[in-house]
Amino acid sequence: MPRLPRNEMSPRASRKVAWPALAEQISISWENIPTEYSIKDIGAPLLASLAEGLYTPEEVLREYVQNAIDSYADFRRTTGVEPANTVQILIVPRTGEVHIMDRGLGMDRDDVERAKAIAVSPKLQRPHDFIGFRGIGIWSGLSACDSLVLETTKRGVASRFRLTMDFKSIRDRLYDPIPIDDLLRGKIVIEAQPAEAEEHYTRVQLRNVERARYGALLDVGRMTRYVEQNLPVPLDPGWAYTQRIEEGLKDILWTAAYDLTINGEPVYRRFPGATEIKEPTFEVIAEGDQVFAHVWAAETARTGASKRIEADTAQGEVTNFALRIKNFTVGDRGNYSRHPDVLDVENLSWFVGEIYVVDPDIKPDTNRRSIQRSFRSDRFIELLRHFYSNTATRSRGWSAEVNAVAASNTAQSTLREIEALLDQADEANSETVHRQVAELLRGLEREREIIRAALEKITAQDTGDESLRVRAERRYLRKARVKVALEAASGQIVALLNRISTSWPQFATPTEEGTQRPKKQRRSSRARTATSGGRPVSTETALGTQAVAGDQSRPGEGGAARAPASILELAIAAFYAALAAVVGEESEAYRQVEERLPAELRRRGIEV
Ligand SMILES: Nc1ncnc2c1ncn2[C@@H]1O[C@H](COP(=O)(O)OP(=O)(O)OP(=O)(O)O)[C@@H](O)[C@H]1O
Ligand SMILES: [Mg+2]
């Protein structure tokens, strides 16, 4: 390839532009040009950035409910009287209308004038009293409907006002290159008429809902589902734990509920019933003395193969956790849990609960899908993730508990079966009984292993360095009822094994004499005939005493005196039993191992 001359290789590199010298370096003074900032400097599209398409249909409804609820706070504060706290929503699909009504303080002329403002909120001065603070929620319907009609009258004011916002006309010119006051001129109308001074209410009507994009606003079922889980409605009065949770939350900031109806039907927060979940417990997300949030959490009560809570979603039941700020949710359930730091995140569906943020500096973002970033909220999110891990790993504990209790129960019922067999054993049926007992004990090996491992975790030394999962397992296994079940089962296993070993002669396999068994029958496997002091030791005894209880065989006690099997003999017997269980006693592999093992042992200087 021919090489280009240097200056043709890169036209940009060859073009050198000199910057003017810094103004400070030239000693000429600056002349001041007067300027003012006016509404003409704010272009119409700013409104688009603030409100257009920012909200989902559900979020639009939420903004107006939020205002209704704030008006109750205002009423309470102004009058000192406990208000009605009711919010009525009316959805009329036929006419495409949605109404949101409250009996809060209402608005006088000044209030209405201010209500139409953009990003001006009287609530900003009292962040502890109100949910709103941005002064833009009223604009959330801009994309959702053709017009908003707000009718209001304030307690003590003998006038009623009507504010009409012509959203459709505003939308039509939203991207015109005009100042915002030109855009809005004539599109916002305020009217007045006389009213009873004592009357107080506000009714917002969203008219002609834009069906293509915001049709969901007219879907009563969908809005009900949303309101149930995201707005501050009461707990279902028919739910088993309503009283307990109300009691637990009653002194906690921002947990108040409001009676809300949709087309006359009350809407409640619904959760799975008492057959699905255990009684809720309360905790805090805190750092030192600083409490960020209060939480109630209920754990699955399921004990089957799948322990995730079966929520009846058609009835509005949910699982996982809602993050609530001022009792309105922020984002979806399990918000902030999808993160590499959160362990066992899938198992959050074994829990249901709510997280109530009580730190006033933790604020939601405009559409309430996440938390506004700050150092403080970043720290809270970290702690929140730790809470999720801590909770989700409890599922390990619950699994361990369920398995341990099930193993104890299975073991105990099998042991009862064995006891019954032993009780009816005599000379005539001893061989059959022995076979059955051996079979039952073999069937019990899995349970014995679970019990042994669980008991080991119960007695393990805590160092403080354990993982959350290990800690959860130990905590659950150390519950009194679990411990009792495990110890009872383990004790009974030991007792039974002792009973078998002390009354061994009765159940000695025919191989002991080597005579009763017809030649054509295959000889009993080594797994069953390891000997100890010349007497056969059943593998089950060996495994049982070693695995579950340590060597508990007490020679000389009860029936025939016998020496305990050496550890080596027990180990060989156990090895054969395990081999038999894995490859089968009849298999070629078993036969070959049987042939080779003595030589392998001898090579290591072990004579058996
Ligand atoms: N239902 C209502 N009852 C009484 N006043 C209301 C009602 N709805 C709106 N207002 C008044 O209108 C103002 C503007 O409402 P808007 O929702 O836009 O802002 P905000 O609630 O102050 O803040 P945010 O944008 O965070 O919701 C409110 O501050 C309030 O004074
Ligand atoms: Mg608002």
PDB file of all heavy atoms in Angstrom, residues 55 63-64 66-68 70-71 102 106-107 111 114-117 120-123 131-139 150 152 202 204, ligand 1:
ATOM      1  N   TYR A  55     -46.067   9.395  33.853  1.00  0.00           N
ATOM      2  CA  TYR A  55     -46.800   8.545  34.792  1.00  0.00           C
ATOM      3  C   TYR A  55     -47.542   7.434  34.058  1.00  0.00           C
ATOM      4  O   TYR A  55     -48.079   7.641  32.979  1.00  0.00           O
ATOM      5  CB  TYR A  55     -47.830   9.376  35.561  1.00  0.00           C
ATOM      6  CG  TYR A  55     -47.240  10.506  36.363  1.00  0.00           C
ATOM      7  CD1 TYR A  55     -47.088  11.777  35.812  1.00  0.00           C
ATOM      8  CD2 TYR A  55     -46.845  10.304  37.674  1.00  0.00           C
ATOM      9  CE1 TYR A  55     -46.553  12.818  36.545  1.00  0.00           C
ATOM     10  CE2 TYR A  55     -46.300  11.344  38.426  1.00  0.00           C
ATOM     11  CZ  TYR A  55     -46.164  12.599  37.858  1.00  0.00           C
ATOM     12  OH  TYR A  55     -45.641  13.619  38.594  1.00  0.00           O
ATOM     13  N   GLU A  63     -51.502  10.041  42.142  1.00  0.00           N
ATOM     14  CA  GLU A  63     -51.211  11.448  42.423  1.00  0.00           C
ATOM     15  C   GLU A  63     -52.437  12.178  42.975  1.00  0.00           C
ATOM     16  O   GLU A  63     -52.324  12.986  43.901  1.00  0.00           O
ATOM     17  CB  GLU A  63     -50.703  12.152  41.159  1.00  0.00           C
ATOM     18  CG  GLU A  63     -49.282  11.765  40.783  1.00  0.00           C
ATOM     19  CD  GLU A  63     -48.259  12.059  41.881  1.00  0.00           C
ATOM     20  OE1 GLU A  63     -48.316  13.134  42.494  1.00  0.00           O
ATOM     21  OE2 GLU A  63     -47.398  11.184  42.122  1.00  0.00           O
ATOM     22  N   TYR A  64     -53.619  11.861  42.417  1.00  0.00           N
ATOM     23  CA  TYR A  64     -54.822  12.565  42.891  1.00  0.00           C
ATOM     24  C   TYR A  64     -55.277  12.028  44.252  1.00  0.00           C
ATOM     25  O   TYR A  64     -55.767  12.800  45.085  1.00  0.00           O
ATOM     26  CB  TYR A  64     -55.923  12.509  41.817  1.00  0.00           C
ATOM     27  CG  TYR A  64     -55.484  13.240  40.563  1.00  0.00           C
ATOM     28  CD1 TYR A  64     -55.126  12.556  39.411  1.00  0.00           C
ATOM     29  CD2 TYR A  64     -55.364  14.634  40.569  1.00  0.00           C
ATOM     30  CE1 TYR A  64     -54.670  13.231  38.280  1.00  0.00           C
ATOM     31  CE2 TYR A  64     -54.896  15.316  39.443  1.00  0.00           C
ATOM     32  CZ  TYR A  64     -54.547  14.620  38.304  1.00  0.00           C
ATOM     33  OH  TYR A  64     -54.075  15.298  37.205  1.00  0.00           O
ATOM     34  N   GLN A  66     -53.231  10.945  46.454  1.00  0.00           N
ATOM     35  CA  GLN A  66     -52.241  11.539  47.348  1.00  0.00           C
ATOM     36  C   GLN A  66     -52.680  12.932  47.792  1.00  0.00           C
ATOM     37  O   GLN A  66     -52.600  13.282  48.966  1.00  0.00           O
ATOM     38  CB  GLN A  66     -50.926  11.630  46.582  1.00  0.00           C
ATOM     39  CG  GLN A  66     -49.701  11.428  47.424  1.00  0.00           C
ATOM     40  CD  GLN A  66     -48.478  11.272  46.539  1.00  0.00           C
ATOM     41  OE1 GLN A  66     -48.169  10.173  46.100  1.00  0.00           O
ATOM     42  NE2 GLN A  66     -47.805  12.360  46.260  1.00  0.00           N
ATOM     43  N   ASN A  67     -53.172  13.714  46.841  1.00  0.00           N
ATOM     44  CA  ASN A  67     -53.653  15.052  47.178  1.00  0.00           C
ATOM     45  C   ASN A  67     -54.860  14.976  48.117  1.00  0.00           C
ATOM     46  O   ASN A  67     -54.984  15.777  49.046  1.00  0.00           O
ATOM     47  CB  ASN A  67     -54.028  15.823  45.913  1.00  0.00           C
ATOM     48  CG  ASN A  67     -52.791  16.316  45.170  1.00  0.00           C
ATOM     49  OD1 ASN A  67     -51.695  16.326  45.730  1.00  0.00           O
ATOM     50  ND2 ASN A  67     -52.968  16.706  43.916  1.00  0.00           N
ATOM     51  N   ALA A  68     -55.731  13.996  47.851  1.00  0.00           N
ATOM     52  CA  ALA A  68     -56.917  13.836  48.709  1.00  0.00           C
ATOM     53  C   ALA A  68     -56.486  13.522  50.136  1.00  0.00           C
ATOM     54  O   ALA A  68     -57.004  14.095  51.099  1.00  0.00           O
ATOM     55  CB  ALA A  68     -57.804  12.727  48.156  1.00  0.00           C
ATOM     56  N   ASP A  70     -53.558  14.170  51.533  1.00  0.00           N
ATOM     57  CA  ASP A  70     -52.902  15.351  52.109  1.00  0.00           C
ATOM     58  C   ASP A  70     -53.938  16.347  52.638  1.00  0.00           C
ATOM     59  O   ASP A  70     -53.703  17.035  53.633  1.00  0.00           O
ATOM     60  CB  ASP A  70     -52.035  16.041  51.046  1.00  0.00           C
ATOM     61  CG  ASP A  70     -50.628  15.438  50.975  1.00  0.00           C
ATOM     62  OD1 ASP A  70     -50.253  14.701  51.915  1.00  0.00           O
ATOM     63  OD2 ASP A  70     -49.924  15.702  49.984  1.00  0.00           O
ATOM     64  N   SER A  71     -55.078  16.428  51.964  1.00  0.00           N
ATOM     65  CA  SER A  71     -56.077  17.413  52.399  1.00  0.00           C
ATOM     66  C   SER A  71     -56.660  17.015  53.764  1.00  0.00           C
ATOM     67  O   SER A  71     -57.112  17.877  54.522  1.00  0.00           O
ATOM     68  CB  SER A  71     -57.185  17.555  51.362  1.00  0.00           C
ATOM     69  OG  SER A  71     -58.110  16.495  51.480  1.00  0.00           O
ATOM     70  N   ASP A 102     -62.689  13.766  48.029  1.00  0.00           N
ATOM     71  CA  ASP A 102     -62.350  13.699  49.452  1.00  0.00           C
ATOM     72  C   ASP A 102     -63.157  14.734  50.221  1.00  0.00           C
ATOM     73  O   ASP A 102     -63.692  15.678  49.641  1.00  0.00           O
ATOM     74  CB  ASP A 102     -60.848  13.965  49.637  1.00  0.00           C
ATOM     75  CG  ASP A 102     -60.443  15.377  49.248  1.00  0.00           C
ATOM     76  OD1 ASP A 102     -60.773  16.312  49.997  1.00  0.00           O
ATOM     77  OD2 ASP A 102     -59.792  15.557  48.189  1.00  0.00           O
ATOM     78  N   GLY A 106     -60.410  21.198  51.693  1.00  0.00           N
ATOM     79  CA  GLY A 106     -60.884  21.948  50.525  1.00  0.00           C
ATOM     80  C   GLY A 106     -60.006  23.175  50.288  1.00  0.00           C
ATOM     81  O   GLY A 106     -59.034  23.408  51.006  1.00  0.00           O
ATOM     82  N   MET A 107     -60.363  23.936  49.247  1.00  0.00           N
ATOM     83  CA  MET A 107     -59.519  25.077  48.871  1.00  0.00           C
ATOM     84  C   MET A 107     -60.339  26.364  48.768  1.00  0.00           C
ATOM     85  O   MET A 107     -61.487  26.334  48.340  1.00  0.00           O
ATOM     86  CB  MET A 107     -58.889  24.811  47.507  1.00  0.00           C
ATOM     87  CG  MET A 107     -57.738  23.828  47.558  1.00  0.00           C
ATOM     88  SD  MET A 107     -56.986  23.629  45.924  1.00  0.00           S
ATOM     89  CE  MET A 107     -57.753  22.134  45.397  1.00  0.00           C
ATOM     90  N   ASP A 111     -55.938  29.237  47.362  1.00  0.00           N
ATOM     91  CA  ASP A 111     -55.446  27.855  47.213  1.00  0.00           C
ATOM     92  C   ASP A 111     -55.603  27.370  45.770  1.00  0.00           C
ATOM     93  O   ASP A 111     -54.716  26.719  45.221  1.00  0.00           O
ATOM     94  CB  ASP A 111     -56.225  26.903  48.135  1.00  0.00           C
ATOM     95  CG  ASP A 111     -56.032  27.216  49.611  1.00  0.00           C
ATOM     96  OD1 ASP A 111     -54.944  27.705  49.958  1.00  0.00           O
ATOM     97  OD2 ASP A 111     -56.971  26.965  50.402  1.00  0.00           O
ATOM     98  N   ARG A 114     -53.115  28.830  43.526  1.00  0.00           N
ATOM     99  CA  ARG A 114     -51.802  28.193  43.700  1.00  0.00           C
ATOM    100  C   ARG A 114     -51.784  26.778  43.119  1.00  0.00           C
ATOM    101  O   ARG A 114     -50.764  26.305  42.651  1.00  0.00           O
ATOM    102  CB  ARG A 114     -51.458  28.146  45.187  1.00  0.00           C
ATOM    103  CG  ARG A 114     -50.293  29.047  45.528  1.00  0.00           C
ATOM    104  CD  ARG A 114     -49.736  28.741  46.886  1.00  0.00           C
ATOM    105  NE  ARG A 114     -50.778  28.345  47.824  1.00  0.00           N
ATOM    106  CZ  ARG A 114     -51.166  29.070  48.873  1.00  0.00           C
ATOM    107  NH1 ARG A 114     -50.600  30.207  49.111  1.00  0.00           N
ATOM    108  NH2 ARG A 114     -52.114  28.640  49.679  1.00  0.00           N
ATOM    109  N   ALA A 115     -52.955  26.124  43.186  1.00  0.00           N
ATOM    110  CA  ALA A 115     -53.013  24.720  42.746  1.00  0.00           C
ATOM    111  C   ALA A 115     -52.617  24.593  41.282  1.00  0.00           C
ATOM    112  O   ALA A 115     -52.023  23.608  40.867  1.00  0.00           O
ATOM    113  CB  ALA A 115     -54.413  24.151  42.977  1.00  0.00           C
ATOM    114  N   LYS A 116     -52.925  25.621  40.490  1.00  0.00           N
ATOM    115  CA  LYS A 116     -52.634  25.546  39.062  1.00  0.00           C
ATOM    116  C   LYS A 116     -51.147  25.787  38.755  1.00  0.00           C
ATOM    117  O   LYS A 116     -50.686  25.568  37.648  1.00  0.00           O
ATOM    118  CB  LYS A 116     -53.497  26.552  38.294  1.00  0.00           C
ATOM    119  CG  LYS A 116     -53.072  28.002  38.492  1.00  0.00           C
ATOM    120  CD  LYS A 116     -53.921  28.909  37.632  1.00  0.00           C
ATOM    121  CE  LYS A 116     -53.287  30.250  37.350  1.00  0.00           C
ATOM    122  NZ  LYS A 116     -52.735  30.976  38.488  1.00  0.00           N
ATOM    123  N   ALA A 117     -50.433  26.250  39.752  1.00  0.00           N
ATOM    124  CA  ALA A 117     -49.017  26.569  39.540  1.00  0.00           C
ATOM    125  C   ALA A 117     -48.212  25.300  39.205  1.00  0.00           C
ATOM    126  O   ALA A 117     -48.651  24.182  39.440  1.00  0.00           O
ATOM    127  CB  ALA A 117     -48.454  27.229  40.798  1.00  0.00           C
ATOM    128  N   VAL A 120     -44.850  24.592  42.306  1.00  0.00           N
ATOM    129  CA  VAL A 120     -45.001  25.466  43.469  1.00  0.00           C
ATOM    130  C   VAL A 120     -45.885  24.683  44.436  1.00  0.00           C
ATOM    131  O   VAL A 120     -47.017  24.346  44.091  1.00  0.00           O
ATOM    132  CB  VAL A 120     -45.696  26.795  43.097  1.00  0.00           C
ATOM    133  CG1 VAL A 120     -45.928  27.646  44.343  1.00  0.00           C
ATOM    134  CG2 VAL A 120     -44.885  27.558  42.056  1.00  0.00           C
ATOM    135  N   SER A 121     -45.362  24.350  45.596  1.00  0.00           N
ATOM    136  CA  SER A 121     -46.161  23.572  46.537  1.00  0.00           C
ATOM    137  C   SER A 121     -46.120  24.173  47.929  1.00  0.00           C
ATOM    138  O   SER A 121     -45.038  24.325  48.501  1.00  0.00           O
ATOM    139  CB  SER A 121     -45.667  22.122  46.600  1.00  0.00           C
ATOM    140  OG  SER A 121     -46.399  21.430  47.583  1.00  0.00           O
ATOM    141  N   PRO A 122     -47.310  24.525  48.471  1.00  0.00           N
ATOM    142  CA  PRO A 122     -47.321  25.022  49.839  1.00  0.00           C
ATOM    143  C   PRO A 122     -46.896  23.926  50.833  1.00  0.00           C
ATOM    144  O   PRO A 122     -46.558  24.209  51.975  1.00  0.00           O
ATOM    145  CB  PRO A 122     -48.793  25.418  50.057  1.00  0.00           C
ATOM    146  CG  PRO A 122     -49.568  24.661  49.036  1.00  0.00           C
ATOM    147  CD  PRO A 122     -48.652  24.440  47.889  1.00  0.00           C
ATOM    148  N   LYS A 123     -46.910  22.687  50.367  1.00  0.00           N
ATOM    149  CA  LYS A 123     -46.591  21.565  51.265  1.00  0.00           C
ATOM    150  C   LYS A 123     -45.100  21.471  51.561  1.00  0.00           C
ATOM    151  O   LYS A 123     -44.700  20.813  52.513  1.00  0.00           O
ATOM    152  CB  LYS A 123     -47.058  20.250  50.633  1.00  0.00           C
ATOM    153  CG  LYS A 123     -48.557  20.214  50.349  1.00  0.00           C
ATOM    154  CD  LYS A 123     -48.940  18.960  49.592  1.00  0.00           C
ATOM    155  CE  LYS A 123     -50.393  19.028  49.136  1.00  0.00           C
ATOM    156  NZ  LYS A 123     -50.739  17.899  48.258  1.00  0.00           N
ATOM    157  N   ILE A 131     -47.608  14.351  51.994  1.00  0.00           N
ATOM    158  CA  ILE A 131     -46.931  13.394  51.107  1.00  0.00           C
ATOM    159  C   ILE A 131     -46.348  14.143  49.904  1.00  0.00           C
ATOM    160  O   ILE A 131     -45.228  13.920  49.505  1.00  0.00           O
ATOM    161  CB  ILE A 131     -47.919  12.305  50.642  1.00  0.00           C
ATOM    162  CG1 ILE A 131     -48.598  11.676  51.860  1.00  0.00           C
ATOM    163  CG2 ILE A 131     -47.203  11.238  49.825  1.00  0.00           C
ATOM    164  CD1 ILE A 131     -49.981  11.172  51.574  1.00  0.00           C
ATOM    165  N   GLY A 132     -47.146  15.033  49.336  1.00  0.00           N
ATOM    166  CA  GLY A 132     -46.686  15.793  48.168  1.00  0.00           C
ATOM    167  C   GLY A 132     -45.691  16.858  48.576  1.00  0.00           C
ATOM    168  O   GLY A 132     -45.665  17.309  49.716  1.00  0.00           O
ATOM    169  N   PHE A 133     -44.845  17.244  47.638  1.00  0.00           N
ATOM    170  CA  PHE A 133     -43.932  18.344  47.916  1.00  0.00           C
ATOM    171  C   PHE A 133     -43.418  19.011  46.639  1.00  0.00           C
ATOM    172  O   PHE A 133     -42.814  20.064  46.658  1.00  0.00           O
ATOM    173  CB  PHE A 133     -42.753  17.891  48.783  1.00  0.00           C
ATOM    174  CG  PHE A 133     -41.878  16.834  48.154  1.00  0.00           C
ATOM    175  CD1 PHE A 133     -40.706  17.185  47.511  1.00  0.00           C
ATOM    176  CD2 PHE A 133     -42.220  15.488  48.210  1.00  0.00           C
ATOM    177  CE1 PHE A 133     -39.893  16.221  46.936  1.00  0.00           C
ATOM    178  CE2 PHE A 133     -41.409  14.522  47.645  1.00  0.00           C
ATOM    179  CZ  PHE A 133     -40.246  14.888  46.999  1.00  0.00           C
ATOM    180  N   ARG A 134     -43.701  18.405  45.475  1.00  0.00           N
ATOM    181  CA  ARG A 134     -43.110  18.939  44.247  1.00  0.00           C
ATOM    182  C   ARG A 134     -43.991  19.987  43.545  1.00  0.00           C
ATOM    183  O   ARG A 134     -43.505  20.755  42.734  1.00  0.00           O
ATOM    184  CB  ARG A 134     -42.848  17.812  43.258  1.00  0.00           C
ATOM    185  CG  ARG A 134     -41.778  16.863  43.703  1.00  0.00           C
ATOM    186  CD  ARG A 134     -41.631  15.737  42.717  1.00  0.00           C
ATOM    187  NE  ARG A 134     -40.965  14.617  43.336  1.00  0.00           N
ATOM    188  CZ  ARG A 134     -39.651  14.483  43.398  1.00  0.00           C
ATOM    189  NH1 ARG A 134     -38.870  15.385  42.851  1.00  0.00           N
ATOM    190  NH2 ARG A 134     -39.119  13.453  43.994  1.00  0.00           N
ATOM    191  N   GLY A 135     -45.279  19.906  43.792  1.00  0.00           N
ATOM    192  CA  GLY A 135     -46.182  20.857  43.138  1.00  0.00           C
ATOM    193  C   GLY A 135     -46.409  20.559  41.663  1.00  0.00           C
ATOM    194  O   GLY A 135     -46.662  21.460  40.862  1.00  0.00           O
ATOM    195  N   ILE A 136     -46.335  19.288  41.292  1.00  0.00           N
ATOM    196  CA  ILE A 136     -46.592  18.943  39.891  1.00  0.00           C
ATOM    197  C   ILE A 136     -47.607  17.811  39.727  1.00  0.00           C
ATOM    198  O   ILE A 136     -48.037  17.510  38.619  1.00  0.00           O
ATOM    199  CB  ILE A 136     -45.297  18.575  39.123  1.00  0.00           C
ATOM    200  CG1 ILE A 136     -44.547  17.443  39.843  1.00  0.00           C
ATOM    201  CG2 ILE A 136     -44.416  19.792  38.939  1.00  0.00           C
ATOM    202  CD1 ILE A 136     -43.448  16.859  38.996  1.00  0.00           C
ATOM    203  N   GLY A 137     -48.002  17.178  40.853  1.00  0.00           N
ATOM    204  CA  GLY A 137     -48.898  16.016  40.779  1.00  0.00           C
ATOM    205  C   GLY A 137     -50.186  16.303  40.033  1.00  0.00           C
ATOM    206  O   GLY A 137     -50.706  15.448  39.308  1.00  0.00           O
ATOM    207  N   ILE A 138     -50.676  17.520  40.195  1.00  0.00           N
ATOM    208  CA  ILE A 138     -51.956  17.864  39.562  1.00  0.00           C
ATOM    209  C   ILE A 138     -51.841  17.807  38.027  1.00  0.00           C
ATOM    210  O   ILE A 138     -52.830  17.622  37.319  1.00  0.00           O
ATOM    211  CB  ILE A 138     -52.446  19.249  40.055  1.00  0.00           C
ATOM    212  CG1 ILE A 138     -53.966  19.338  39.932  1.00  0.00           C
ATOM    213  CG2 ILE A 138     -51.750  20.376  39.317  1.00  0.00           C
ATOM    214  CD1 ILE A 138     -54.571  20.520  40.688  1.00  0.00           C
ATOM    215  N   TRP A 139     -50.619  17.932  37.555  1.00  0.00           N
ATOM    216  CA  TRP A 139     -50.358  17.872  36.110  1.00  0.00           C
ATOM    217  C   TRP A 139     -50.198  16.442  35.599  1.00  0.00           C
ATOM    218  O   TRP A 139     -49.989  16.235  34.410  1.00  0.00           O
ATOM    219  CB  TRP A 139     -49.101  18.678  35.770  1.00  0.00           C
ATOM    220  CG  TRP A 139     -49.320  20.157  35.909  1.00  0.00           C
ATOM    221  CD1 TRP A 139     -49.066  20.920  37.014  1.00  0.00           C
ATOM    222  CD2 TRP A 139     -49.867  21.025  34.929  1.00  0.00           C
ATOM    223  NE1 TRP A 139     -49.413  22.228  36.784  1.00  0.00           N
ATOM    224  CE2 TRP A 139     -49.906  22.330  35.498  1.00  0.00           C
ATOM    225  CE3 TRP A 139     -50.333  20.862  33.620  1.00  0.00           C
ATOM    226  CZ2 TRP A 139     -50.396  23.436  34.812  1.00  0.00           C
ATOM    227  CZ3 TRP A 139     -50.811  21.961  32.927  1.00  0.00           C
ATOM    228  CH2 TRP A 139     -50.842  23.239  33.522  1.00  0.00           C
ATOM    229  N   LEU A 150     -61.622  20.448  38.627  1.00  0.00           N
ATOM    230  CA  LEU A 150     -61.495  20.312  40.078  1.00  0.00           C
ATOM    231  C   LEU A 150     -62.520  21.230  40.736  1.00  0.00           C
ATOM    232  O   LEU A 150     -62.532  22.438  40.481  1.00  0.00           O
ATOM    233  CB  LEU A 150     -60.068  20.686  40.487  1.00  0.00           C
ATOM    234  CG  LEU A 150     -59.694  20.577  41.966  1.00  0.00           C
ATOM    235  CD1 LEU A 150     -58.204  20.317  42.093  1.00  0.00           C
ATOM    236  CD2 LEU A 150     -60.060  21.827  42.757  1.00  0.00           C
ATOM    237  N   THR A 152     -64.134  22.501  44.352  1.00  0.00           N
ATOM    238  CA  THR A 152     -63.708  22.478  45.752  1.00  0.00           C
ATOM    239  C   THR A 152     -64.374  23.596  46.553  1.00  0.00           C
ATOM    240  O   THR A 152     -64.730  24.650  46.004  1.00  0.00           O
ATOM    241  CB  THR A 152     -62.166  22.610  45.841  1.00  0.00           C
ATOM    242  OG1 THR A 152     -61.764  22.426  47.197  1.00  0.00           O
ATOM    243  CG2 THR A 152     -61.676  23.975  45.349  1.00  0.00           C
ATOM    244  N   THR A 202     -63.236  18.250  48.014  1.00  0.00           N
ATOM    245  CA  THR A 202     -62.628  18.484  46.699  1.00  0.00           C
ATOM    246  C   THR A 202     -62.966  17.282  45.823  1.00  0.00           C
ATOM    247  O   THR A 202     -62.873  16.145  46.275  1.00  0.00           O
ATOM    248  CB  THR A 202     -61.085  18.636  46.801  1.00  0.00           C
ATOM    249  OG1 THR A 202     -60.803  19.719  47.675  1.00  0.00           O
ATOM    250  CG2 THR A 202     -60.451  18.890  45.449  1.00  0.00           C
ATOM    251  N   VAL A 204     -62.054  15.841  42.032  1.00  0.00           N
ATOM    252  CA  VAL A 204     -61.280  15.994  40.797  1.00  0.00           C
ATOM    253  C   VAL A 204     -61.894  15.082  39.758  1.00  0.00           C
ATOM    254  O   VAL A 204     -62.123  13.901  40.013  1.00  0.00           O
ATOM    255  CB  VAL A 204     -59.794  15.613  41.031  1.00  0.00           C
ATOM    256  CG1 VAL A 204     -59.026  15.623  39.718  1.00  0.00           C
ATOM    257  CG2 VAL A 204     -59.156  16.558  42.028  1.00  0.00           C
TER     258      VAL A 204
HETATM  259  N1  LIG B   1     -57.770  17.212  46.855  1.00  0.00           N
HETATM  260  C1  LIG B   1     -57.194  18.363  47.211  1.00  0.00           C
HETATM  261  N2  LIG B   1     -57.568  19.007  48.313  1.00  0.00           N
HETATM  262  C2  LIG B   1     -56.976  20.147  48.708  1.00  0.00           C
HETATM  263  N3  LIG B   1     -55.983  20.738  48.000  1.00  0.00           N
HETATM  264  C3  LIG B   1     -55.570  20.163  46.885  1.00  0.00           C
HETATM  265  C4  LIG B   1     -56.154  18.948  46.406  1.00  0.00           C
HETATM  266  N4  LIG B   1     -55.533  18.612  45.256  1.00  0.00           N
HETATM  267  C5  LIG B   1     -54.602  19.554  45.027  1.00  0.00           C
HETATM  268  N5  LIG B   1     -54.630  20.498  45.993  1.00  0.00           N
HETATM  269  C6  LIG B   1     -53.760  21.686  46.078  1.00  0.00           C
HETATM  270  O1  LIG B   1     -53.096  21.816  44.871  1.00  0.00           O
HETATM  271  C7  LIG B   1     -51.705  21.881  45.046  1.00  0.00           C
HETATM  272  C8  LIG B   1     -50.999  21.264  43.878  1.00  0.00           C
HETATM  273  O2  LIG B   1     -51.135  19.848  43.876  1.00  0.00           O
HETATM  274  P1  LIG B   1     -49.986  18.981  43.288  1.00  0.00           P
HETATM  275  O3  LIG B   1     -50.347  17.573  43.426  1.00  0.00           O
HETATM  276  O4  LIG B   1     -49.671  19.485  41.942  1.00  0.00           O
HETATM  277  O5  LIG B   1     -48.730  19.358  44.184  1.00  0.00           O
HETATM  278  P2  LIG B   1     -48.336  18.813  45.626  1.00  0.00           P
HETATM  279  O6  LIG B   1     -49.324  17.863  46.111  1.00  0.00           O
HETATM  280  O7  LIG B   1     -48.125  20.048  46.453  1.00  0.00           O
HETATM  281  O8  LIG B   1     -46.923  18.141  45.331  1.00  0.00           O
HETATM  282  P3  LIG B   1     -46.638  16.775  44.487  1.00  0.00           P
HETATM  283  O9  LIG B   1     -46.312  17.212  43.107  1.00  0.00           O
HETATM  284  O10 LIG B   1     -45.475  16.217  45.183  1.00  0.00           O
HETATM  285  O11 LIG B   1     -47.880  16.004  44.560  1.00  0.00           O
HETATM  286  C9  LIG B   1     -51.465  21.193  46.350  1.00  0.00           C
HETATM  287  O12 LIG B   1     -50.306  21.654  46.960  1.00  0.00           O
HETATM  288  C10 LIG B   1     -52.713  21.572  47.143  1.00  0.00           C
HETATM  289  O13 LIG B   1     -52.546  22.798  47.757  1.00  0.00           O
END
